[in-house]
Amino acid sequence: MACFASLKEDLKTLEQLFSKNQERFQVLSSSVDELSCRFVGRSGERFVIHANITETYPHTSAIWFAETEDKTVSAAIERLTDNGDSNYNILKQIRQLLTDLCNFHDVPLPAEVFSLDEAIKAKVAVCDEVGLSSSDVIMSEDEDMERDIEDTEDDFHYEMEEEESESSSKSDLDDIGTENIAVLERLKFNQRQDYLKGSVAGSVQATDRLMKELKDIYKSDSYKKGIYCVELQSDSLYDWVVKLYKVDPDSALNTDLKTYREKEGKDHILLNITYKDSFPFEPPFVRVVSPVLTGGYVLGGGAICMELLTKQGWSSAYSLESLILQIAATLVKGKARIQFSATKNQYSLARAQQSFKSLVQIHEKNGWFTPPKEDG
């Protein structure tokens, strides 16, 4: 909780120093989850930059991304993840970001930087006075929770089955509804047509595995009970739309879903899952499309912070139904809430990919760990 209070204090300092009227650098909005700021270049060009502040802050860097592909902004963001633990404080990262951007654009640092330096010095002095021995306790708690997560993830493995023979293929459809059988047949027909035209999409290994996964989902109890449903975008086996209808009934997210139904007539969390030709040996990319959520390990643009979704944490033995149910559990565990006041276009594929890329880079350097319980 001390980290939470300290973060709030730091964000307040940034808002006071860099208001929306500041000529060079402005804090547009801030919360304990996300910071948005704007840098104004020499010729008046404006660059909006975001930082997702994860549950592991300040042990790991905020996840920085921008709404531009400008090389100077990309270079400045990359440098933020190259420093050691001492630079993960948001005040220090803003100081470095602003310094690099001003250097790249050949403009002077704003006078407010001197006040920022004083705030940083004051924070360092406080840390030196109280000491940092509590970090050892935090790390031990993190390791305990990591072991719990590993035990849970073991439940998501299943043993690969041998390819089904032609004689048993019909019996495999016995537990599948008529509409879903029609989807499977349409997919097979389209695959044959693409083959004849010489325009086959995807790879044989990925297509075969995805067909099996889809068939298993259509037969599963969770699917039949309406916990979630799966639709294919433009009949593409590589682009899934997942509607998550039910979460833990005792969670705040479940209460929000009821309000969401009453206010906007929608009753589900919409996910998009896309696959590469290398599936199942590489993980799918998963993002939240709507509604906009706070908490729940959901990053800017809708990407999801889960080791399971990285090359490091993924296994080709995971089933896609287990993945979907794990995402639902992760949203609840992370205390996700629907942000009813959010703008409708806040999530996008480009923003999700960029923030997830930054997340992976950070965790490749620092590893993965779960925050202590008292930090939420």
Side-chain angles (χ1 to χ4, degrees):
M1 296 304 291
C3 290
F4 186 79
S6 178
L7 174 58
K8 278 189 168 182
E9 181 182 325
D10 291 346
L11 293 173
K12 185 177 180 180
T13 298
L14 291 173
E15 286 182 330
Q16 291 172 344
L17 291 177
F18 303 105
S19 68
K20 295 177 183 178
N21 297 322
Q22 214 289 328
E23 180 182 3
R24 186 66 59 200
F25 189 78
Q26 306 144 8
V27 173
L28 303 179
S29 64
S30 68
S31 71
V32 293
D33 296 315
E34 185 172 3
L35 171 70
S36 296
C37 52
R38 179 165 56 208
F39 176 78
V40 182
R42 172 182 288 276
S43 303
E45 61 270 41
R46 299 185 172 196
F47 305 103
V48 177
I49 303 169
H50 305 278
N52 267 113
I53 304 170
T54 67
E55 287 81 357
T56 57
Y57 175 88
H59 305 291
T60 59
S61 169
I63 299 167
W64 295 87
F65 58 100
E67 297 177 358
T68 175
E69 296 182 359
D70 182 84
K71 292 181 180 179
T72 63
V73 174
S74 297
I77 289 177
E78 277 187 26
R79 281 171 53 82
L80 290 175
T81 60
D82 289 338
N83 291 308
D85 293 346
S86 62
N87 286 330
Y88 290 146
N89 175 269
I90 196 71
L91 296 180
K92 289 186 175 183
Q93 289 206 306
I94 286 290
R95 175 64 162 91
Q96 181 181 339
L97 177 67
L98 185 51
T99 300
D100 288 341
L101 288 173
C102 286
N103 288 338
F104 289 148
H105 287 261
D106 194 24
V107 295
L109 282 168
E112 288 82 357
V113 165
F114 299 108
S115 298
L116 179 59
D117 288 341
E118 291 301 317
I120 293 171
K121 288 179 183 177
K123 184 164 289 292
V124 171
V126 171
C127 288
D128 290 341
E129 184 178 341
V130 301
L132 298 175
S133 60
S134 60
S135 62
D136 296 333
V137 178
I138 291 174
M139 289 305 294
S140 66
E141 290 180 359
D142 293 339
E143 290 169 0
D144 289 340
M145 294 193 72
E146 263 189 12
R147 283 193 291 271
D148 291 342
I149 290 175
E150 287 173 359
D151 292 341
T152 302
E153 286 188 348
D154 286 340
D155 297 337
F156 306 138
H157 285 83
Y158 71 95
E159 292 195 3
M160 297 290 290
E161 299 176 355
E162 295 182 358
E163 290 293 325
E164 57 189 5
S165 64
E166 288 293 328
S167 59
S168 64
S169 61
K170 289 185 179 179
S171 62
D172 283 347
L173 302 178
D174 288 346
D175 296 329
I176 300 178
T178 305
E179 291 184 5
N180 295 329
I181 290 177
V183 172
L184 294 172
E185 293 300 327
R186 188 164 63 248
L187 285 170
K188 290 180 181 178
F189 176 80
N190 290 340
Q191 289 165 15
R192 285 195 296 268
Q193 292 299 107
D194 290 341
Y195 178 79
L196 293 173
K197 294 176 183 177
S199 58
V200 178
S203 65
V204 174
Q205 67 180 21
T207 298
D208 287 349
R209 177 61 179 270
L210 287 169
M211 283 292 286
K212 180 185 182 304
E213 292 286 347
L214 188 59
K215 194 181 298 182
D216 288 347
I217 282 174
Y218 285 158
K219 291 190 281 186
S220 75
D221 289 335
S222 297
Y223 179 89
K224 291 177 180 178
K225 290 177 181 177
I227 293 176
Y228 69 92
C229 79
V230 173
E231 299 172 2
L232 305 182
Q233 194 87 269
S234 302
D235 266 356
S236 171
L237 195 57
Y238 289 77
D239 193 351
W240 290 20
V241 173
V242 177
K243 295 178 179 179
L244 189 59
Y245 290 102
K246 298 178 182 179
V247 295
D248 185 343
D250 296 325
S251 67
L253 182 57
N254 184 65
T255 302
D256 283 354
L257 279 172
K258 293 178 181 178
T259 306
Y260 191 47
R261 185 185 302 114
E262 294 170 1
K263 283 188 172 183
E264 301 189 28
K266 298 179 181 178
D267 58 356
H268 59 271
I269 295 169
L270 188 63
L271 306 174
N272 179 226
I273 306 179
T274 53
Y275 309 89
K276 295 181 179 179
D277 296 355
S278 52
F279 181 82
F281 303 108
E282 287 191 18
F285 181 73
V286 184
R287 68 186 180 99
V288 178
V289 178
S290 65
V292 175
L293 302 176
T294 56
Y297 306 101
V298 179
L299 308 175
I304 301 174
C305 177
M306 286 176 63
E307 185 180 12
L308 188 68
L309 297 174
T310 67
K311 291 181 181 180
Q312 175 185 346
W314 176 256
S315 167
S316 61
Y318 291 143
S319 72
L320 292 180
E321 178 177 66
S322 294
L323 172 62
I324 292 169
L325 297 178
Q326 170 66 355
I327 289 171
T330 298
L331 292 176
V332 171
K333 179 183 176 183
K335 300 177 182 178
R337 301 296 303 269
I338 295 177
Q339 191 176 345
F340 292 100
S341 60
T343 55
K344 302 300 180 184
N345 60 349
Q346 187 167 329
Y347 287 170
S348 70
L349 177 59
R351 285 190 67 192
Q353 289 174 331
Q354 193 173 27
S355 61
F356 190 77
K357 180 180 178 182
S358 298
L359 170 81
V360 171
Q361 290 174 343
I362 290 169
H363 285 296
E364 281 179 348
K365 295 178 181 178
N366 302 288
W368 291 77
F369 69 92
T370 304
K373 293 179 180 178
E374 62 264 31
D375 282 354

